[in-house]
Amino acid sequence: MPSERHAKTPVDRLDETAARAELDRLAEALNAANRAYHTEDAPRISDAEYDALKARNAAIEDAFPHLKRADSPSEQVGGPVADGFAKVTHAVRMMSLGNAFEDAEVAEFDARVRRYLGLEDGAPLAFTAEPKIDGLSLNLRYEGGRLVQAATRGDGETGENVTANARTVDDIPERLDDAPEVLEVRGEVYMSHEDFAALNGRQSERGDKTFANPRNAAAGSLRQLDARITRDRPLRFFAYGWGELSEPLAGTQYDAIARLAELGFRTNPLTVRCDGPDGMLAQYSAIEQGRATLGYDIDGVVYKVDDLDYQRRLGFRSTTPRWALAHKFPAETAWTRLEKIEIQVGRTGALSPVARLTPVTVGGVVVSNATLHNEDYIAGRDAGGNPIRGGKDIREGDWVQVYRAGDVIPKVADVDLEKRPEDAAPYAFPTVCPECGSDAIREEGDAVRRCTGGLICPAQAVEKLRHFVSRAAFDIEGLGAKQVEQFYRDGWIAEPADIFTLAERFGSGARQLKNREGWGEKSASNLFEAIDEKRKIDLRRVIFALGIRHVGEVAAGDLARHFGTWESFAVGVEAAIPAAHAHRAAAEAVGAEQAAAKVEGRRARVTETREAVWAEADLPMGAKVAWDDLVGIDGIGATVAASLADAFAQEAERASIDRLIAHLDVRPDEPPDTEGSPVAGKTVVFTGTLEKMTRAEAKARAEALGAKVSGSVSAKTDLVVAGPGAGSKAKKAAELGIETVDEDGWLALIGDG
Ligand code: IVH
């Protein structure tokens, strides 16, 4: 226990030894106070005493900066969980929303929902419309009417436990009367304009950092490790949804929200029920007009299908519900000068132009960079060669209009030619990679110019590593983008496999991680442990983590589900390599044929051309089968298949993948829990017209029962569901002797008949 001897000595009278002892004592006292407050829920000292200890600690650190402890309490904002918040796995995934920007998309949404549900045009279909609050979402769990947990959305599956902080928010009730036994209420935490201005005023008075906008202020306040700070930040909460429930709240969205209001939650007064797109658009205008006087930020209007039974049937795409849509307000814009165009090189070698701007405020946020997309965009034309912005190009020195839509990266919308400096020259897009000097080329049909340097290009290598450790990939605690970048620059890691030998190489011996700046004994051993934990990992994460072009999270999931194990995935892709070459040659030949046909004024012979190239390619037996298998996976097209095959065909890349796999124990993809399902593990093809459900609904239902849904019939197909008008696929099934049923047969089989 550090001595109290210097506790009363004024800071300017402390010598170095006394100062060090005081910092030790204060760290211990503050840690104990934090533990008592958060973990034991039994504060031992008053807030004023706590603040005094913190202030003294900060004053000593100012006077003796070199004595500041690595685990200084001033860096920890006080929390007992120095590692951040505990993780919470959501009982029901927290989703985000699909976006729309145009009025026409609202009618499309209505039509899409009708199509999916198989509703006639005239059949009633109601929606709710309500403001989209610009804050952050929160899940509040009540058991027996008591608030037991509050968690942020996080990645949707796991969020952070912010219960202590949520309890400080006035709009969040501690207890509920007459609530279901289990009730998870979801809504948005936000800060009002008034409270935001006052908070920023206090922050700047104290010399603390101010917040860019109310949303950042709300997020920063809710995610405070010290709940006392949260308590002094006036946060508010609107309830707009729910997660797990032990019993339904109501039969409609509108009534369920009314029930939440009865239970004591604040719900948004601008929520209405509409009977179709006209009413939805009317409410959109009404909300937009009132926007400036609401006193809090909103960034659009959310529409939700009112009938909860319909919501259940509609279900979810990978991250968004089919039954809701966010209709965003138009982006805010501002004019500023484009100082310079810089090129960034991405993970797949793409050269992306970025505009460096004279900083300007757009919708409350200071913007100094904006994306310029690609070289055509700068030149003033779209992918098809047609003029955009009236054909005006963008040059360094130009006045440009920038805009922000939601959270996305700012973009350049327009150029003011009258303000163009006389000496401004058209921008010459580089044809060599600015990072490694390799040629940067544009392939036929690709809007993007790419560096050909592959792994020798440092920018690509770093981006690949950053992607590898990202949240949806390996997600290694303590190893973020910043750390991998530093390790790469210092030559500690060059590729993902090297991460798994870090402990071997830098755990002991001459150069050790714990001796690096910013690291210590504890953080180094924590990192090695976190890395070890990820040696056993899901197949879908591995496939996604490879960073192969066009293979996003969804495609990686589809591939994992189809192949099941790393071995069959690798064998499948490898076998398809020769076919990918044939596919590319065929695409080129088809392009040439189409161009020729256009000149000659005749119809292009697309199928014949394609088939001729495939025939000429004279592929080994397995290649065509492997290719068909890949493109037969629902969701995987020729583009993804070709990109996978390309990656596996490149020797250096393939070797790098193999080196990685050698360190891993790849967990096979588990099919969903479908015990008792008659179609689990079966490959099903739907063809023809379905009358009782839409194709999308049928597919989602089949997958939920553990079936694989494929787009084409092959020897691997187990069952074909053929509706009226089924053509070649049903014929092929008959030829191959594959079991074929009609829609009623299918419904009877899965027990829905
Ligand atoms: S409903 C499954 N309603 O917007 C649907 N979300 O862009 C869940 N948000 O994560 C969301 N106001 O944080 C819904 N009235 C509202 C909302 C709202 C704001 C946020 C929410 C969500 C994000 C999606």
Side-chain angles (χ1 to χ4, degrees):
M1 165 78 69
S3 136
E4 296 257 342
R5 196 144 56 93
H6 308 289
K8 297 237 157 62
T9 315
V11 175
D12 57 4
R13 304 253 298 279
L14 291 171
D15 63 15
E16 214 174 291
T17 322
R20 183 176 285 121
E22 265 298 86
L23 287 176
D24 290 348
R25 181 186 72 85
L26 289 163
E28 183 157 315
L30 284 162
N31 282 335
N34 282 330
R35 249 190 328 269
Y37 185 91
H38 294 277
T39 332
E40 295 151 22
D41 260 344
R44 289 201 210 137
I45 57 174
S46 71
D47 287 2
E49 282 168 306
Y50 180 89
D51 291 342
L53 290 179
K54 271 203 112 152
R56 181 167 169 83
N57 185 70
I60 300 175
E61 285 177 349
D62 274 351
F64 302 91
H66 60 292
L67 294 183
K68 183 164 166 181
R69 293 165 55 109
D71 63 347
S72 161
S74 53
E75 298 291 313
Q76 294 175 24
V77 219
V81 267
D83 293 343
F85 295 94
K87 295 241 161 77
V88 171
T89 303
H90 296 299
V92 176
R93 226 188 123 147
M94 290 183 80
M95 296 287 179
S96 64
L97 291 168
N99 287 332
F101 294 92
E102 308 290 337
D103 287 1
E105 292 173 77
V106 177
E108 284 162 20
F109 171 55
D110 173 77
R112 205 161 52 233
V113 169
R114 285 176 182 279
R115 223 176 13 252
Y116 192 99
L117 295 172
L119 293 181
E120 302 281 319
D121 275 354
L125 178 64
F127 295 86
T128 58
E130 69 199 67
K132 183 170 189 307
I133 317 296
D134 197 7
L136 58 152
S137 49
L138 192 65
N139 184 67
L140 304 172
R141 186 177 175 89
Y142 291 84
E143 288 175 9
R146 281 172 172 272
L147 176 64
V148 292
Q149 187 180 71
T152 62
R153 181 171 82 175
D155 63 0
E157 266 169 44
T158 33
E160 289 174 321
N161 186 335
V162 291
T163 314
N165 297 354
R167 290 193 203 282
T168 70
V169 176
D170 284 346
D171 291 343
I172 297 180
E174 238 341 287
R175 283 161 155 279
L176 307 174
D177 289 332
D178 297 327
E181 178 55 32
V182 175
L183 166 64
E184 290 189 350
V185 176
R186 290 182 176 173
E188 202 82 351
V189 170
Y190 68 98
M191 195 179 279
S192 75
H193 290 157
E194 198 183 341
D195 290 335
F196 168 69
L199 170 64
N200 262 357
R202 288 199 301 277
Q203 293 287 105
S204 58
E205 249 167 51
R206 275 194 240 124
D208 286 343
K209 90 172 202 289
T210 56
F211 295 98
N213 53 47
R215 187 183 181 282
N216 286 357
S221 305
L222 186 70
R223 297 189 66 266
Q224 274 295 336
L225 288 170
D226 186 346
R228 278 181 272 207
I229 299 182
T230 312
R231 193 181 55 201
D232 295 335
R233 306 254 178 100
L235 293 174
R236 297 167 189 232
F237 181 79
F238 273 129
Y240 53 63
W242 55 90
E244 192 180 348
L245 293 174
S246 53
E247 58 188 83
L249 289 170
T252 64
Q253 175 78 30
Y254 192 82
D255 293 343
I257 298 306
R259 175 87 200 281
L260 292 179
E262 270 166 34
L263 284 168
F265 291 93
R266 277 183 63 236
T267 59
N268 197 289
L270 297 172
T271 309
V272 298
R273 180 152 38 196
C274 321
D275 51 17
D278 290 346
M280 290 148 86
L281 289 173
Q283 184 64 1
Y284 177 87
S285 306
I287 292 175
E288 190 178 26
Q289 270 164 28
R291 186 179 183 189
T293 56
L294 284 178
Y296 51 87
D297 277 352
I298 62 173
D299 56 353
V301 173
V302 183
Y303 308 121
K304 297 172 186 166
V305 169
D306 193 36
D307 185 323
L308 296 184
D309 213 35
Y310 283 165
Q311 283 193 10
R312 188 190 49 75
R313 277 180 60 195
L314 286 156
F316 300 88
R317 293 179 220 95
S318 64
T319 57
T320 57
R322 292 194 187 85
W323 44 264
L325 181 74
H327 187 180
K328 297 295 212 53
F329 294 135
E332 309 204 45
T333 66
W335 287 89
T336 187
R337 207 175 86 96
L338 190 167
E339 292 173 357
K340 202 168 168 21
I341 296 176
E342 283 180 6
I343 302 290
Q344 285 176 350
V345 184
R347 161 169 62 87
T348 57
L351 268 51
S352 309
V354 178
R356 304 290 176 209
L357 309 165
T358 305
V360 60
T361 309
V362 188
V365 171
V366 179
V367 168
S368 45
N369 303 309
T371 174
L372 291 166
H373 308 283
N374 55 49
E375 67 185 287
D376 285 344
Y377 191 82
I378 297 178
R381 42 172 197 260
D382 68 11
N386 308 308
I388 49 173
R389 298 184 299 272
K392 290 181 275 184
D393 69 330
I394 297 173
R395 304 182 182 187
E396 290 182 334
D398 268 340
W399 273 88
V400 291
Q401 186 188 37
V402 290
Y403 70 101
R404 260 183 0 113
D407 262 351
V408 299
I409 316 161
K411 298 179 181 157
V412 170
D414 203 3
V415 181
D416 187 346
L417 290 186
E418 289 187 1
K419 289 195 177 163
R420 173 167 285 174
E422 267 174 20
D423 59 350
Y427 180 70
F429 204 92
T431 52
V432 294
C433 172
E435 295 278 343
C436 72
S438 304
D439 285 339
I441 59 164
R442 248 182 105 169
E443 276 185 20
E444 184 74 29
D446 193 351
V448 170
R449 190 172 283 279
R450 289 171 201 278
C451 163
T452 52
L455 288 175
I456 67 147
C457 177
Q460 286 185 58
V462 167
E463 287 309 317
K464 261 201 169 308
L465 284 164
R466 288 165 69 119
H467 172 80
F468 185 83
V469 298
S470 66
R471 190 122 86 165
F474 270 64
D475 191 20
I476 298 169
E477 181 109 34
L479 194 63
K482 197 171 99 208
Q483 287 81 10
V484 283
E485 200 164 333
Q486 281 166 357
F487 288 160
Y488 178 84
R489 302 268 173 233
D490 294 348
W492 283 30
I493 55 177
E495 59 173 28
D498 298 338
I499 293 172
F500 296 93
T501 57
L502 270 175
E504 226 163 86
R505 294 179 293 130
F506 301 105
S508 56
R511 280 195 305 167
Q512 296 195 24
L513 176 60
K514 66 175 192 205
N515 299 330
R516 262 184 89 113
E517 201 182 319
W519 292 84
E521 184 108 39
K522 185 86 188 121
S523 54
S525 79
N526 283 347
L527 177 64
F528 296 147
E529 235 172 71
I531 292 172
D532 276 344
E533 269 173 28
K534 294 292 159 89
R535 287 179 199 266
K536 193 166 165 66
I537 186 144
D538 290 340
L539 176 59
R540 57 185 53 220
R541 281 187 184 261
V542 176
I543 297 176
F544 173 66
L546 298 178
I548 294 169
R549 204 170 141 211
H550 302 300
V551 183
E553 250 184 286
V554 175
D558 291 340
L559 289 160
R561 189 169 323 130
H562 178 79
F563 285 107
T565 64
W566 170 264
E567 289 69 27
S568 52
F569 166 72
V571 168
V573 173
E574 188 141 313
I577 292 174
H581 294 309
H583 161 74
R584 196 154 289 126
E588 261 168 45
V590 166
E593 161 67 8
Q594 279 169 331
K598 199 168 171 188
V599 173
E600 293 161 22
R602 59 174 172 83
R603 273 189 59 201
R605 287 184 288 266
V606 172
T607 316
E608 295 93 312
T609 310
R610 184 180 300 120
E611 279 171 4
V613 177
W614 276 98
E616 199 178 311
D618 191 20
L619 297 175
M621 254 305 278
K624 182 79 170 58
V625 177
W627 176 262
D628 286 345
D629 184 42
L630 265 180
V631 297
I633 303 173
D634 209 47
I636 303 295
T639 313
V640 175
S643 178
L644 280 166
D646 281 350
F648 274 62
Q650 282 169 30
E651 257 171 62
E653 175 121 10
R654 183 63 214 266
S656 161
I657 294 175
D658 287 343
R659 281 192 291 273
L660 167 69
I661 297 298
H663 293 290
L664 303 177
D665 174 4
V666 184
R667 226 181 273 136
D669 192 71
E670 300 280 346
D673 181 12
T674 50
E675 214 179 303
S677 157
V679 294
K682 299 249 165 86
T683 301
V684 181
V685 174
F686 291 96
T687 178
T689 317
L690 301 178
E691 283 162 346
K692 303 212 165 123
M693 56 192 164
T694 62
R695 189 67 75 80
E697 195 173 359
K699 172 171 182 276
R701 183 89 180 99
E703 281 176 352
L705 289 166
K708 288 181 195 170
V709 178
S710 171
S712 62
V713 174
S714 74
K716 290 194 180 164
T717 310
D718 295 301
L719 179 68
V720 173
V721 182
S728 62
K729 289 184 194 173
K731 203 167 133 227
K732 189 157 177 202
E735 279 164 22
L736 295 171
I738 293 165
E739 185 185 351
T740 303
V741 294
D742 62 9
E743 190 177 4
D744 286 334
W746 163 255
L747 290 173
L749 177 66
I750 63 171
D752 280 1

